[in-house]
Amino acid sequence: MISPHFVWLGAAISLIGSLRYAVLTLRGKVMPNRVTWFLWAFAPLIGFAAQIADGVGLPAVFLLAVGLGPALILIASFAARSGFWQIGPFDLVCGGASVIALILWLTFDNPLLAVIAASAADLLAGLPTMRKAWTSPETERPVVFLAGIANGLITLLSLQHWEPIEYIFPIQITLMGITCATIILVRGRRTRPSSYSTSDHRQSL
């Protein structure tokens, strides 16, 4: 176990990764799926509010950083002309299911259920990006997911009491980061970046 104050380091790493991804978005190097990144901003912030209400303390900083980073990326996608991915039926279905999970939290109005619902919403929201990373890895970069893994692991190591409300979301974020980064790195090796144009790709959708 490490000091709980290390959560600030994890949060900083996560935000740096998000800022780097946002810059790549502005440069047209990546094309974020807005359904994913909107919900990845919204769901963690709900979990953060639930943890604060339950008196979790410093570990809640993890969710704050996890929510603020995607918010920056979402803003960047609107600022960049080619900084978004065209939304399709699969994205809308996953997004709708994610919203339902968040509505369930409002129904139960319980801190533990809020974190579980937020975690489920995060997973469902991530499916469109996971699918995009598999089919078009050239539109993604692993930096933000690697940063999320580091943030998740640091948060888990800093936990003083292993309560579900504290460890559910860090585990979820860590596993999601590992999955996305692995897909991007493995699939990206089979793609020729020189043959890719973000504008051409968007028009072909």
Side-chain angles (χ1 to χ4, degrees):
M1 305 299 289
I2 60 177
S3 170
H5 295 286
F6 272 89
V7 297
W8 294 106
L9 174 62
I13 293 174
S14 181
L15 287 174
I16 289 172
S18 295
L19 284 171
R20 175 57 179 165
Y21 191 94
V23 170
L24 291 172
T25 299
L26 292 172
R27 294 178 178 176
K29 301 295 184 180
V30 297
M31 300 174 67
N33 182 300
R34 286 174 176 167
V35 170
T36 289
W37 292 100
F38 169 75
L39 292 169
W40 272 358
F42 190 56
L45 292 178
I46 286 181
F48 168 72
Q51 288 191 340
I52 291 297
D54 200 51
V56 168
L58 280 177
V61 173
F62 166 80
L63 286 184
L64 179 61
V66 168
L68 288 179
L72 293 174
I73 292 169
L74 182 65
I75 293 171
S77 76
F78 283 99
R81 292 183 178 180
S82 61
F84 68 94
W85 180 262
Q86 184 172 332
I87 296 173
F90 180 79
D91 307 308
L92 295 176
V93 169
C94 292
S98 180
V99 170
I100 290 174
L102 296 178
I103 292 175
L104 288 177
W105 164 74
L106 296 175
T107 301
F108 294 126
D109 195 21
N110 178 281
L112 177 57
L113 290 178
V115 173
I116 293 175
S119 181
D122 183 89
L123 173 61
L124 291 167
L127 293 180
T129 289
M130 290 173 63
R131 179 173 181 267
K132 180 169 75 74
W134 181 267
T135 60
S136 304
E138 68 277 7
T139 66
E140 286 291 343
R141 294 294 186 276
V143 57
V144 68
F145 303 108
L146 294 174
I149 294 170
N151 189 15
L153 292 176
I154 289 174
T155 300
L156 289 171
L157 289 173
S158 68
L159 294 179
Q160 303 302 301
H161 304 285
W162 274 76
E163 299 293 337
I165 196 171
E166 295 187 21
Y167 65 69
I168 287 176
F169 217 100
I171 289 177
Q172 155 67 19
I173 295 298
T174 302
L175 293 178
M176 177 67 74
I178 292 173
T179 301
C180 290
T182 300
I183 291 174
I184 295 168
L185 291 171
V186 173
R187 293 285 294 172
R189 292 175 182 175
R190 303 176 184 178
T191 302
R192 295 181 180 179
S194 60
S195 64
Y196 171 72
S197 169
T198 54
S199 59
D200 292 342
H201 186 81
R202 194 181 75 180
Q203 293 173 358
S204 68
L205 292 176

